Amino acid sequence: LQGEFGPVRFPVYAPSGAEGVSTAVAPVDAPELAHVHGFNALARPSVVFLGPQRAILAAGRLVVAIDTETGQQEFFKCHTAAVTCLAHSPEQALVASGQARRAGSRCAEVLLWCRETLQLRATIGFHQADVEAVAFVQGGELLVSIGADRDHTVALWATAREGWFQFRKNEAPLAINSAYKSGVVNGISVAPERSNLAPRFVSFGTAHIKFWQCDRLSPSRRSGLESRRGAFCGEGAPRAVVTVAWASGDKLIAGGSHGEIFFFEGTRAIRRLQHRKSCVAVLMPLRDSLLAVYSSGVCSLLNSDRPVDVDVASLPGAPEARLQAPIVGGAAWRHGDLLLSSQTHLLRLKVAASSDSPLRSCDVLLAQAGRAVTAVCCHPVEPLVFTGSLDGGVRCYRCDRMHESLPERGFAAGGPVTCLAVSGCPPGAAAWLAVGCEDSTLSVMSEASQRYVFRRCLSPAKAKLTCARFSTCDVSGAQPLWLAVGTADGCIHTLRIKDPGCHSAAHSGAEIVTRVATLRGHSAPLLDISFANTLPCAFLLSVDLAGQALSFDVPTARRLPSVAVLRDLPLTPWTAPIGWQVRGCWSSQPEKEGATLPPRRFCEVTGRACVAASAGTGPGIEFFPFPCPTRPAAEAPHLDGPASQIAALEHSRFSDCLFAASDALLFVWSWPGRQASEPSRQAFSPQRPLQAGAIFETPQGRKRAIPAENAALLTPQRRTPARPGAYARDELAMEGKSRAQHQQRQDVAEAAFTPPRQRHSSTPARGRVATAQQERSPGFAEDWGSPAASPGCRGSPATPAVRERELEMEDAAPRRAWGSFGVAGALSPGDGGHEAAGPRRADERFNAASGIGLQALESLERWPRKFTRGDAVSPKIGARSASVPAGGGAAGAAGRDVQRIREDTEARARSIHDRQHYDTVGELLAGGGRRNPEVVEVEAPAEGGQDGRAGRFLYRLREMATRYEVEVHLPGGRLLRVLRNPLRRSLSFEGEVSGYLLRQPGARGAASPGSQSADGQHRLVIRLPVDLDLQDPPIHVERNFAEGHCLVAVQCSRQPQQGQQQQQGQQQREHWARWGTTASAWEEEQQQDI
């Protein structure tokens, strides 16, 4: 018969008596998809959380929903091309998945489906290229999609289930824009929703990050999408922005391709860190720290002076370092679980809020090959399957109900693996495993002990080994085992193995494996090799890529004249793409001269009367009745899932599963309702007569070959007792993985990179330095510092005494940042500022409320004390002319305003510069945006005392004989600093109450970890009576900042009557109203009064 196999024509021979047989009409029972080993690590993002124990990932043309605790999988199967991106909307309970553009289609599609039922809701077709990224905004009512075309087109869609933004079929996008003109877009990240702000998101990719916002009510085509490029600080934009994470509504953290980490506030980066040089794969903001995962597998917790680094390979349950690949992405669920994806593994990590070890344990959810899988073989008597890939790895998986990876049964070959074969095995012995590599190296080993008995290069020309097959195993051991290996140069190398099973841990290769001959005759690379199921082994059928089938006599190394010799011999399971048995699986195509056989794989499903074949026009799998000599009348069942061509197809008779390798993925299908059966090992009497067989020539004469199932008629089985518990390793326990014990949470250091202590200008020191010794409480430091003692303030070099107090102040009260844009301590208006350490001249004091720097105040002393209203002349902008008077006339006021604005701008610039270089990660991540401290003011009575509560503070004011005592307590918090302002006669107490502030167990006043209602900074400003002297240091101080307590006693200079006090206060208020809010005018007036 003439066989049409695509464009190839080749004669086929039907078995005797079956010339007129046609394909059976009975329907074929197709299997169901049970498991997928692997995922698309290059999808954007590679994994997305749906809940605390449920996540989705892309795998070929499937979206796999996996249970992170049990490993069970569900599948969304409506895609027609490879899935490229994923997004989830918790509010709408929808999932959006974009796919690549199919060949011949007009556009790529985005599918909307329900996360609970996995049912398709809508299909969106718009982009002319692959869909690069998708994301839900505005609570899932809008969907943003970006295509991979030249302009990276951004489209905005209405996707709500109901309401105005309900999805309407065949509706155009609400808005269209361009994301980037060159490079690639790596993803989209949506900002946390705020009711009073427009929906915002960012797109990022090659050397850029772009901030977007859309109108909440009417996202029209013209103004619906507004964008602005992000501004990078430091050395500019990275080569590529790989990942981003939102710390709050207006704080974004971005990771670069060379380890850069940028902290954005608004659209501008205010801080740049680079702890490592490798790519940042995942960023996970914690409460007061940042967990950065690098592609090298190192997780760094940035929250202290010395970041904590943990290698993922060192965690309990993590795969070996030699089997890992660079991490490319991941996802985080709250602050507990972290999923990391690489080219070879999907890992689940338990995050611990500890400064010593941020990670507790690691579990492997999925394992796959780093490169394309090229070969698959199944164990004959165990539920195991082996895969070989181009990354040089041989991996082993269970194929029963557990479907887990067995890394202890895998190993690394000497090069890219191109073919695999496993033999049968007698009872009590291990099977042989043959591994062929791309460099023509063949290795034969025991699949259990992985000890080599043969390792040699078969081809002098280094021809690639394309296929391998073992002959039928004689369980009695009387007949040798044969191995045939095909190469890309058309040769077949045969080897004889003396022992059909591996009975010991060590073997001598010369005794066990013998290279017999090289069979030639093919002019194209070998595609498939099959042994006839006879004992002793006699015949071999081979097919090359050109569609030529040849048969050989294996023992004599002789080519047979025709494949018709094998027409009556069983070739089970059938794997050849050419033959009478599979002629009906091919569709008729015009014959082409020099055409090659389409790359289709065939595998007979033993015991089910069907054959599985990879689709000729796509990546799917078709099922046909077996044998299939004619085209079936009914349409063949089709299995979808793979997105690329099937490289290997194998059926396990032991577990009754079908395996297909596509790219780096291994798909597993199984038939429900049938238990896997173990091959029978029943011994037959050698006295039974022969019923069938074929005569063939051997060196010992003419012999008869019989089917393998009747082999016991000639070869009695060896009486070897069965090994007890031969398959004990089947009972691998899921719960056997070791887990690290939960570590007790300890104090987390607040700063990841403490700013250098000496950040002061070289201005000569001015004023007196206090030498009075004050009482000090253990663990507290005094914050009655000079401007030079405040972090970020430009002051003069201090004396050793001042420097000592400065260091204590920095240790006890770390500088808080990401607040208002003031200099130094960034005090809010109405607070005062930073004061001198002792009695100092008034022109050295610093007023942060008005934003005047130290150099501006130094220039004020050159101004004339006495002037008239007409003497003032307005200076140039930025000039520091000494002729500018301190008051009088519009020109004088204008000059002071210009000078104040200039100094305020310089102070803001210095503050931004300091934040970029010295702000810690904890300060950058603290809070939910720019939160100014809560300020409360208390007016102290002129006589007597007062006890009360102001905000979160408790205070007590007492008038003594010669001094005035102020005692303040912040329950449940700590004090950061205490400031005095002689100009305003005020004492400012700054503290914080943080629900996540970790303290030692048993510490009095510790905040509850769960209370977040009163978190943040608080400030109490107490204005003292006019008869108190704040020019000199306090006469007594009791400090206990950690407990939130402080007592300050100041000297009473004189004791005027109550009427005089009221008169003085009225005069000061008049002076303040006349000279405005500038500190210079009030300072000169104060000097005159003194």
Side-chain angles (χ1 to χ4, degrees):
L1 300 177
Q2 183 69 16
E4 298 181 357
F5 306 97
V8 176
R9 301 294 184 266
F10 193 82
V12 295
Y13 303 91
S16 301
E19 288 78 4
V21 175
S22 60
T23 302
V25 186
V28 177
D29 186 14
E32 297 179 357
L33 185 62
H35 199 84
V36 177
H37 292 282
F39 58 98
N40 182 10
L42 299 181
R44 301 166 182 169
S46 56
V47 59
V48 175
F49 267 106
L50 296 184
Q53 297 181 3
R54 195 167 183 238
I56 57 173
L57 44 88
R61 292 189 291 180
L62 302 174
V63 179
V64 182
I66 182 172
D67 190 314
T68 58
E69 293 291 339
T70 63
Q72 296 296 323
Q73 296 181 356
E74 296 178 295
F75 309 98
F76 176 71
K77 307 177 182 179
C78 296
H79 279 280
T80 57
V83 181
T84 58
C85 51
L86 300 168
H88 172 232
S89 171
E91 298 83 0
Q92 301 289 333
L94 290 177
V95 177
S97 51
Q99 67 180 28
R101 178 184 175 186
R102 304 191 314 272
S105 62
R106 298 182 56 185
C107 59
E109 296 175 340
V110 178
L111 274 60
L112 297 177
W113 46 282
C114 178
R115 71 178 181 188
E116 302 297 338
T117 62
L118 305 183
Q119 297 296 322
L120 181 65
R121 297 292 185 183
T123 301
I124 299 174
F126 172 74
H127 295 284
Q128 304 300 314
D130 299 350
V131 182
E132 278 188 318
V134 291
F136 287 98
V137 297
Q138 194 170 316
E141 294 183 348
L142 301 177
L143 176 71
V144 180
S145 61
I146 300 180
D149 53 284
R150 182 183 61 182
D151 295 332
H152 297 280
T153 305
V154 180
L156 189 66
W157 307 86
T159 56
R161 292 193 172 189
E162 57 185 12
W164 176 256
F165 292 106
Q166 183 178 4
F167 178 79
R168 299 171 179 85
K169 193 174 181 180
N170 299 327
E171 190 174 83
L174 301 177
I176 302 175
N177 209 324
S178 176
Y180 196 58
K181 292 295 184 181
S182 60
V184 297
V185 174
N186 291 331
I188 304 174
S189 182
V190 182
E193 293 288 341
R194 288 188 176 182
S195 58
N196 57 339
L197 295 178
R200 295 183 301 163
F201 62 93
V202 296
S203 60
F204 54 93
T206 304
H208 82 283
I209 185 169
K210 184 175 277 191
F211 293 81
W212 300 80
Q213 71 176 12
C214 59
D215 192 345
R216 181 178 295 275
L217 298 179
S218 59
S220 61
R221 290 176 177 268
R222 296 183 178 180
S223 60
L225 284 176
E226 299 179 359
S227 64
R228 183 174 182 180
R229 289 281 294 271
F232 291 89
C233 62
E235 300 177 0
R239 179 173 298 179
V241 178
V242 181
T243 182
V244 300
W246 291 91
S248 63
D250 59 347
K251 297 179 186 177
L252 179 72
I253 310 172
S257 56
H258 287 77
E260 309 95 334
I261 299 178
F262 297 89
F263 294 85
F264 280 84
E265 185 177 284
T267 61
R268 181 175 59 183
I270 63 172
R271 181 73 191 277
R272 177 183 183 271
L273 300 179
Q274 191 172 13
H275 178 54
R276 290 183 171 271
K277 298 294 185 180
S278 54
C279 176
V280 180
V282 181
L283 292 171
M284 183 178 181
L286 303 176
R287 291 184 176 91
D288 55 353
S289 58
L290 175 65
L291 183 64
V293 182
Y294 296 90
S295 60
S296 59
V298 176
C299 300
S300 298
L301 184 64
L302 308 178
N303 71 335
S304 61
D305 294 340
R306 183 176 299 174
V308 180
D309 294 337
V310 178
D311 193 350
V312 175
S314 64
L315 296 176
E320 297 183 18
R322 63 184 180 89
L323 298 178
Q324 293 187 15
I327 296 176
V328 297
W333 176 256
R334 307 273 172 88
H335 295 160
D337 284 355
L338 179 64
L339 293 182
L340 298 181
S341 61
S342 67
Q343 292 286 357
T344 56
H345 292 90
L346 178 65
L347 307 176
R348 185 187 65 171
L349 280 68
K350 290 293 185 180
V351 180
S354 173
S355 58
D356 296 333
S357 179
L359 303 176
R360 291 183 295 175
S361 62
C362 176
D363 295 329
V364 179
L365 297 182
L366 290 175
Q368 66 177 3
R371 296 179 60 188
V373 177
T374 56
V376 177
C377 63
C378 299
H379 199 283
V381 294
E382 296 181 9
L384 302 178
V385 59
F386 296 90
T387 64
S389 59
L390 294 180
D391 63 353
V394 177
R395 294 168 175 84
C396 181
Y397 303 93
R398 292 179 64 94
C399 53
D400 53 4
R401 289 175 296 180
M402 299 179 70
H403 294 292
E404 65 174 351
S405 173
L406 301 178
E408 65 275 6
R409 303 293 293 270
F411 57 91
V417 179
T418 54
C419 62
L420 281 179
V422 64
S423 70
C425 59
W432 297 109
L433 181 64
V435 181
C437 297
E438 197 174 31
D439 58 354
S440 193
T441 301
L442 176 66
S443 303
V444 181
M445 68 188 72
S446 169
E447 54 86 16
S449 63
Q450 300 176 4
R451 291 180 178 270
Y452 291 100
V453 296
F454 182 87
R455 184 178 177 87
R456 188 176 302 176
C457 181
L458 299 183
S459 174
K462 304 290 183 180
K464 179 176 68 174
L465 305 183
T466 58
C467 54
R469 187 61 58 91
F470 281 98
S471 65
T472 303
C473 175
D474 183 5
V475 295
S476 66
Q479 300 296 333
L481 186 68
W482 288 85
L483 171 65
V485 182
T487 62
D489 57 1
C491 298
I492 302 175
H493 302 271
T494 58
L495 298 92
R496 184 174 62 245
I497 302 176
K498 179 181 179 181
D499 197 339
C502 181
H503 294 277
S504 60
H507 286 279
S508 169
E511 298 178 356
I512 299 298
V513 182
T514 303
R515 185 176 177 182
V516 177
T518 300
L519 308 180
R520 305 182 186 274
H522 288 282
S523 59
L526 267 296
L527 191 61
D528 181 78
I529 294 176
S530 300
F531 279 99
N533 289 20
T534 61
L535 285 178
C537 175
F539 301 114
L540 178 147
L541 176 66
S542 60
V543 179
D544 61 17
L545 196 59
Q548 182 184 19
L550 300 178
S551 58
F552 295 90
D553 187 340
V554 178
T556 61
R558 182 173 60 93
R559 176 181 171 182
L560 300 179
S562 174
V563 295
V565 179
L566 308 181
R567 61 190 303 178
D568 292 329
L569 292 180
L571 295 168
T572 305
W574 183 275
T575 58
I578 284 180
W580 176 85
Q581 291 81 351
V582 295
R583 189 179 66 161
C585 302
W586 293 86
S587 59
S588 179
Q589 296 182 13
E591 183 178 3
K592 298 180 181 179
E593 186 68 23
T596 60
L597 201 64
R600 298 187 68 185
R601 302 289 179 176
F602 288 79
C603 180
E604 179 188 356
V605 180
T606 309
R608 291 191 174 274
C610 64
V611 60
S614 60
T617 58
I621 298 176
E622 298 174 330
F623 274 84
F624 300 91
F626 187 82
C628 185
T630 59
R631 190 70 182 176
E635 184 179 359
H638 194 85
L639 301 181
D640 291 323
S644 57
Q645 288 291 337
I646 304 296
L649 196 61
E650 190 78 10
H651 174 257
S652 172
R653 183 175 182 181
F654 184 88
S655 59
D656 198 20
C657 293
L658 181 68
F659 302 91
S662 174
D663 199 11
L665 308 178
L666 180 65
F667 296 84
V668 184
W669 287 273
S670 63
W671 282 264
R674 174 179 175 179
Q675 299 291 334
S677 59
E678 186 176 357
S680 175
R681 291 173 178 166
Q682 181 182 2
F684 294 91
S685 171
Q687 306 300 326
R688 296 181 182 180
L690 298 178
Q691 301 296 333
I695 302 299
F696 64 95
E697 299 289 340
T698 67
Q700 292 80 19
R702 297 168 60 88
K703 293 186 177 181
R704 181 183 299 272
I706 61 175
E709 56 267 20
N710 299 330
L713 299 178
L714 295 178
T715 55
Q717 293 197 14
R718 181 182 302 174
R719 295 182 179 179
T720 303
R723 180 179 55 177
Y727 191 58
R729 52 180 174 268
D730 278 352
E731 307 299 330
L732 297 177
M734 290 287 291
E735 61 276 6
K737 300 180 181 179
S738 59
R739 296 179 179 271
Q741 296 182 354
H742 179 68
Q743 301 180 0
Q744 182 181 2
R745 299 184 64 186
Q746 301 177 355
D747 289 346
V748 180
E750 183 177 353
F753 299 91
T754 301
R757 297 188 181 278
Q758 296 183 1
R759 300 198 306 270
H760 312 298
S761 64
S762 58
T763 307
R766 306 181 60 186
R768 297 184 292 115
V769 178
T771 59
Q773 297 294 330
Q774 302 183 9
E775 299 179 9
R776 300 179 182 272
S777 300
F780 299 95
E782 183 176 347
D783 201 12
W784 306 90
S786 63
S790 299
C793 178
R794 300 301 192 266
S796 58
T799 62
V802 176
R803 182 57 183 163
E804 178 183 0
R805 298 170 63 181
E806 173 186 336
L807 296 178
E808 295 177 357
M809 182 274 295
E810 290 185 358
D811 293 338
R815 181 167 61 93
R816 305 296 296 177
W818 209 316
S820 58
F821 267 76
V823 297
L827 304 181
S828 62
D831 176 20
H834 297 273
E835 289 76 29
R840 302 176 62 90
R841 294 172 54 181
D843 57 2
E844 294 178 345
R845 301 186 185 96
F846 187 85
N847 191 330
S850 59
I852 302 179
L854 185 62
Q855 297 177 356
L857 293 179
E858 292 173 355
S859 65
L860 294 179
E861 72 175 16
R862 298 192 297 268
W863 292 3
R865 302 278 180 162
K866 303 295 182 179
F867 55 88
T868 61
R869 188 173 295 271
D871 295 338
V873 178
S874 178
K876 282 187 177 182
I877 295 179
R880 298 178 181 269
S881 174
S883 62
V884 178
R896 289 192 303 273
D897 291 342
V898 169
Q899 192 71 17
R900 178 177 57 81
I901 293 173
R902 180 178 182 276
E903 295 298 340
D904 180 71
T905 304
E906 290 182 356
R908 290 175 181 268
R910 286 196 302 270
S911 175
I912 294 174
H913 180 270
D914 289 343
R915 292 168 65 190
Q916 291 177 355
H917 287 79
Y918 307 120
D919 273 7
T920 65
V921 173
E923 292 168 346
L924 294 175
L925 298 180
R930 291 187 180 181
R931 298 187 304 173
N932 292 327
E934 179 183 351
V935 182
V936 291
E937 295 186 5
V938 174
E939 189 74 25
E943 296 180 356
Q946 179 179 341
D947 295 349
R949 184 185 188 96
R952 290 299 303 269
F953 290 91
L954 300 177
Y955 66 91
R956 175 180 297 171
L957 308 177
R958 291 180 295 182
E959 182 183 10
M960 310 299 289
T962 59
R963 65 180 185 177
Y964 198 93
E965 291 185 357
V966 178
E967 185 177 3
V968 173
H969 179 57
L970 181 60
R974 64 175 182 178
L975 293 180
L976 299 177
R977 67 185 68 190
V978 180
L979 306 175
R980 61 185 173 92
N981 191 333
L983 306 180
R984 299 185 180 181
R985 306 184 326 279
S986 65
L987 294 177
S988 299
F989 299 84
E990 296 181 7
E992 68 173 358
V993 178
S994 178
Y996 53 82
L997 182 61
L998 301 180
R999 303 185 181 180
Q1000 296 295 338
R1004 185 163 55 92
S1008 172
S1011 61
Q1012 298 288 340
S1013 59
D1015 295 355
Q1017 297 187 15
H1018 303 266
R1019 178 181 299 146
L1020 172 63
V1021 180
I1022 299 180
R1023 300 194 180 277
L1024 302 179
V1026 295
D1027 61 336
L1028 301 181
D1029 185 11
L1030 293 182
Q1031 298 291 338
D1032 295 330
I1035 59 177
H1036 179 72
V1037 178
E1038 294 182 3
R1039 298 167 299 274
N1040 196 344
F1041 283 6
E1043 298 290 340
H1045 177 267
C1046 184
L1047 185 144
V1048 180
V1050 298
Q1051 181 70 38
C1052 293
S1053 58
R1054 55 192 178 92
Q1055 299 181 2
Q1057 298 296 328
Q1058 183 175 4
Q1060 296 177 355
Q1061 294 176 2
Q1062 295 177 356
Q1063 184 179 2
Q1064 266 193 344
Q1066 180 65 23
Q1067 293 177 356
Q1068 290 171 356
R1069 285 191 291 270
E1070 292 177 358
H1071 287 311
W1072 188 272
R1074 181 174 23 157
W1075 299 114
T1077 59
T1078 59
S1080 57
W1082 175 244
E1083 187 175 343
E1084 287 191 356
E1085 187 69 18
Q1086 186 76 2
Q1087 290 176 357
Q1088 293 176 4
D1089 292 341
I1090 293 174

